[in-house]
């Protein structure tokens, strides 16, 4: 049975708030024009923040990098998801995942006040983060331009079950943009002509170029590399993950990727990197391109010595088209931690899916597609409970609770791909537990006046931390579940699964409960 405690209540309230917000948004954007599909837009922004966190006792301060994605629910209220990771100090590998939101209010030209709250789970050093729950209230001032905002804030970071409690002044950097989507009322996917898509007066139909990739990666460490305990740990690290490239010009793009280890070291290693890249088409006939990229980020865990956590990674890739929507990418590079022992040559293979989504432009586009494919998506925010997870070094099997986020990409009304991430916020000694999984899913047709359908998923991925019996970190999880519609865009979703470690004896039932938010996107053909 799932325990009802402070952590569960916080998580469920956060999900409920998100569900209510999404319902309001859907109602605000309802459109009665049944002849055309209206392209909607929602103001959004990425927020990058930095906090210099005071650590207990004589431990060196931790530089904490925050990466959040927020959507404006109203002109003053925003909500979204985010992650924090150690960048400097001695806590390399500390990561959290969670939900957040806040308010911003204009004070005068270019100047606004901002305040909010982040609730997440994770960690990396369980003795310091306890069971993993992290709270971060904040307030500050922002100065804005059309293309960016920069600000200063006061924040209080608290791991209630651990030892980290710190108040500090930090910095924020926001990148505003518009998120374009189609209301979930248009539930039937299919191919549309540009004339069937309506945009607001004074705008033109255009598209944003994006590439999304699933990757498998190897880090070939230098012989004799030592870990955080000073012992030799120089095996090849196998990782799985995902990458998003967003083009800011025809050839230049920013990128972000996250991956976790499944072999070669003790479980628990993950990293998140981002940076800039350039696409050089070496042939206009076959579409083959070379992509140099340079990235910075944070990583650690699995006893890998990354010092404070900061990583640097240059690489170069070759992109080879497979179909109009898919390509294969092979990359080589080098990753190193400037203040740690990690230094490794990298080899990466990716399957790239081209997500060139419809958008608005204030000038007539040079290139315009005649057709767009309407594809449905679903975001699932939920509480995940491991009922009796086996530990590596003791017989404790008390439940573990995680905050989880899953994105479903529906290719047909019955088949979808799913991408999931989760971090622990409650349970005995579970601080630092995190998972990343990908999978395939099947769902039934809609029943009971389109309010109900069943689904099943098969997930694979990597996990680590929290003292669980995971060994190298590779995991699998079959899932069955139920989707109960509350409106065309919001549903209550529940499922049960069985999580199993492939290289150890973790084998536990899993219960998932939360809210799913549906919307459509128009992909250029």
């Amino acid at each position: 049975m799932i325990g009802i405690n402070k952590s569960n209540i916080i998580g469920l309230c956060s999900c409920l708030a998100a569900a209510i917000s999404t319902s309001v948004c859907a109602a605000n954007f309802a459109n009665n024009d049944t002849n055309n599909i209206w392209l909607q837009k929602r103001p959004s922004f990425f927020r990058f923040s930095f906090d210099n966190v005071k650590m207990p006792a004589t431990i060196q301060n931790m530089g904490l990098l925050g990466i959040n994605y927020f959507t404006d629910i109203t002109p003053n209220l925003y909500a979204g998801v985010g992650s924090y990771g150690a960048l400097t100090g001695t806590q390399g590998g500390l990561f959290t995942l969670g939900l957040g939101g806040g308010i911003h209010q204009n004070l005068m030209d270019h100047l606004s006040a901002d305040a909010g709250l982040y609730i997440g789970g994770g960690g990396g050093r369980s003795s310091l983060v306890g069971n993993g729950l992290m709270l971060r209230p904040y307030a500050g001032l922002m100065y804005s331009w059309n293309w960016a905002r920069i600000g200063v804030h006061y924040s209080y970071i608290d791991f209630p079950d651990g030892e980290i409690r710190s108040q500090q002044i930090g910095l924020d950097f926001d990148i505003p943009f518009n998120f374009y989507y189609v209301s979930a009322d248009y539930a039937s996917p299919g191919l549309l002509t540009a004339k069937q898509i309506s945009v607001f007066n004074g705008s033109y139909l255009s598209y944003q170029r994006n590439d999304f990739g699933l990757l498998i990666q190897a880090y070939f460490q230098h012989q004799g590399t030592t870990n955080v305990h000073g012992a030799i740990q120089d095996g090849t690290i196998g990782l799985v993950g995902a990458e998003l490239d967003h083009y800011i010009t025809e050839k230049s793009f920013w990128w972000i990727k996250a991956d976790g280890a499944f072999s070669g070291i003790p479980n628990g290693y993950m990293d998140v990197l981002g940076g800039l890249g350039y696409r050089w088409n070496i042939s206009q006939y076959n579409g083959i391109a070379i992509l140099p990229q340079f990235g910075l980020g944070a990583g650690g865990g699995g006893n890998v010595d990354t010092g404070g956590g900061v990583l640097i990674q240059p690489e170069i890739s070759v992109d080879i088209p497979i179909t109009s929507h898919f390509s294969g990418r092979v990359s080589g590079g080098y990753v190193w931690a400037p203040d740690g022992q990690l230094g490794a040559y990298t080899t990466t293979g990716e399957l790239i899916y081209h997500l060139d989504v419809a958008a608005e432009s204030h000038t007539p586009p040079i290139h315009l597609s005649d057709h767009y494919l309407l594809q449905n998506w679903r975001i699932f925010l939920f509480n995940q409970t491991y009922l009796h997870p086996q530990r590596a070094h003791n017989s404790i099997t008390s439940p573990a609770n995680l905050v989880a986020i899953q994105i479903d990409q529906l290719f047909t009304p019955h088949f979808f791909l799913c991408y999931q991430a989760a971090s622990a916020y409650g349970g005995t000694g579970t601080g630092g537990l995190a998972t990343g999984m990908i999978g395939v899913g099947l769902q039934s047709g809609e029943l009971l006046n389109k309010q109900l359908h069943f689904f099943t998923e098969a997930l694979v991925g990597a996990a680590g931390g929290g003292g669980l019996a995971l060994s190298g970190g590779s995991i699998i999880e079959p899932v069955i579940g139920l989707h109960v519609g509350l409106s065309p865009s919001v549903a209550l979703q529940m499922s049960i699964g069985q999580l199993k470690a492939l290289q150890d004896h973790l084998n536990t039932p899993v219960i998932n409960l939360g809210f799913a938010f549906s919307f459509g996107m128009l992909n250029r053909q």
Side-chain angles (χ1 to χ4, degrees):
M1 184 175 181
I2 302 175
I4 302 298
N5 54 39
K6 175 181 69 175
S7 299
N8 289 97
I9 292 171
I10 290 173
L12 290 175
C13 287
S14 299
C15 287
L16 182 58
I20 294 172
S21 300
T22 304
S23 299
V24 172
C25 291
N28 289 342
F29 279 119
N31 195 291
N32 295 323
D33 189 341
T34 58
N35 295 321
N36 278 27
I37 288 182
W38 279 85
L39 186 64
Q40 311 288 355
K41 68 179 177 182
R42 174 61 57 180
S44 305
F45 60 98
F46 279 104
R47 170 166 294 174
F48 302 89
S49 64
F50 184 82
D51 290 301
N52 186 32
V53 180
K54 299 178 181 66
M55 301 297 286
T58 59
I59 300 174
Q60 183 179 347
N61 284 5
M62 172 178 62
L64 195 65
L65 173 68
I67 303 175
N68 289 269
Y69 170 78
F70 291 124
T71 295
D72 286 332
I73 299 168
T74 72
N76 299 107
L77 181 67
Y78 61 86
V81 300
S83 178
Y84 289 82
L87 203 64
T88 63
T90 60
Q91 304 299 306
L94 187 149
F95 286 97
T96 71
L97 175 71
L99 307 175
I103 55 175
H104 40 202
Q105 175 65 50
N106 289 333
L107 301 177
M108 60 182 69
D109 288 345
H110 302 291
L111 186 67
S112 62
D114 183 88
L117 173 66
Y118 169 86
I119 303 172
R125 302 293 176 94
S126 59
S127 61
L128 298 176
V129 302
N131 298 328
L133 177 64
M134 173 182 163
L135 305 177
R136 181 183 178 271
Y138 59 90
L141 296 172
M142 304 289 295
Y143 187 87
S144 62
W145 297 271
N146 290 333
W147 57 275
R149 294 189 292 263
I150 189 169
V152 61
H153 67 256
Y154 162 84
S155 65
Y156 179 73
I157 292 175
D158 182 19
F159 286 82
D161 302 315
E163 302 176 40
I164 301 175
R165 291 172 183 83
S166 173
Q167 51 185 328
Q168 55 280 313
I169 302 296
L171 300 174
D172 294 315
F173 180 70
D174 292 358
I175 302 177
F177 67 98
N178 289 320
F179 172 70
Y180 295 94
Y181 68 100
V182 172
S183 169
D185 293 322
Y186 302 106
S188 300
L191 199 62
L192 303 170
T193 66
K195 293 182 180 180
Q196 293 176 279
I197 304 167
S198 296
V199 294
F200 292 103
N201 291 337
S203 298
Y204 300 90
L205 181 63
S206 183
Y207 67 91
Q208 295 175 335
R209 183 172 182 176
N210 303 276
D211 287 338
F212 176 75
L214 299 177
L215 63 88
I216 185 166
Q217 191 165 213
Y219 288 178
F220 300 96
Q221 298 186 89
H222 296 299
Q223 186 174 1
T225 299
T226 57
N227 62 19
V228 293
H229 303 299
I232 293 179
Q233 184 177 292
D234 57 4
T236 299
I237 306 173
L239 308 101
V240 293
E243 177 178 343
L244 175 66
D245 301 339
H246 176 76
Y247 282 79
I248 50 182
T249 70
E250 184 178 353
K251 296 183 178 180
S252 301
F253 59 93
W254 59 255
W255 58 273
I256 185 169
K257 71 176 178 181
D259 44 31
F262 66 88
S263 68
I265 55 171
N267 72 79
Y269 179 84
M270 69 170 291
D271 54 36
V272 179
L273 296 110
L276 297 174
Y278 184 82
R279 184 181 184 89
W280 177 39
N281 295 312
I282 62 175
S283 171
Q284 61 178 334
Y285 302 106
N286 54 29
I288 296 176
I290 294 177
L291 293 81
Q293 297 174 235
F294 182 83
L296 298 170
N303 294 334
V304 177
D305 185 358
T306 59
V310 65
L311 298 177
I312 299 173
Q313 185 182 36
E315 65 178 356
I316 189 165
S317 310
V318 177
D319 194 276
I320 303 173
I322 299 174
T323 69
S324 59
H325 287 291
F326 289 92
S327 65
R329 186 179 296 177
V330 179
S331 309
Y334 190 78
V335 62
W336 81 92
D339 58 349
Q341 291 293 311
L342 177 65
Y345 293 99
T346 66
T347 300
T348 308
E350 292 184 72
L351 178 64
I352 301 294
Y353 179 70
H354 304 300
L355 267 174
D356 296 341
V357 296
E360 285 184 352
S361 173
H362 294 298
T363 58
I366 298 174
H367 304 291
L368 178 64
S369 174
D370 291 329
H371 293 87
Y372 288 82
L373 178 67
L374 175 58
Q375 187 176 71
N376 290 335
W377 294 74
R378 189 164 54 218
I379 297 178
F380 184 26
L381 304 178
F382 59 106
N383 183 86
Q384 187 171 71
T385 300
Y386 297 176
L387 290 185
H388 51 74
Q390 294 82 5
R391 269 63 170 186
H393 302 296
N394 57 55
S395 59
I396 297 174
T397 57
S398 58
N401 287 294
L402 298 86
V403 57
I405 299 168
Q406 180 170 311
I407 299 175
D408 295 339
Q409 181 181 6
L410 285 78
F411 287 90
T412 75
H414 302 292
F415 173 77
F416 60 93
L417 294 181
C418 39
Y419 320 101
Q420 183 189 118
S423 286
Y425 69 86
T428 304
T430 55
L433 172 62
T435 68
M437 307 183 77
I438 60 175
V440 296
L442 297 173
Q443 64 183 25
S444 69
E446 295 174 318
L447 308 171
L448 296 180
N449 196 27
K450 298 184 178 182
Q451 299 300 306
L452 180 73
H453 65 246
F454 298 92
F455 65 90
T456 182
E457 299 167 355
L459 300 164
V460 298
L468 270 58
L470 290 159
S471 288
S474 53
I475 54 174
I476 59 172
E477 183 186 3
V479 175
I480 58 172
L482 180 65
H483 185 95
V484 182
L486 305 177
S487 74
S489 59
V490 182
L492 177 67
Q493 191 161 304
M494 60 201 80
S495 62
I496 58 173
Q498 187 74 21
L499 183 72
K500 179 175 176 56
L502 296 181
Q503 302 169 41
D504 212 326
H505 63 282
L506 175 69
N507 190 3
T508 178
V510 177
I511 295 179
N512 305 308
L513 178 62
F515 293 94
F517 314 116
S518 299
F519 58 93
M521 294 181 71
L522 293 165
N523 195 16
R524 183 176 70 108
Q525 295 298 289

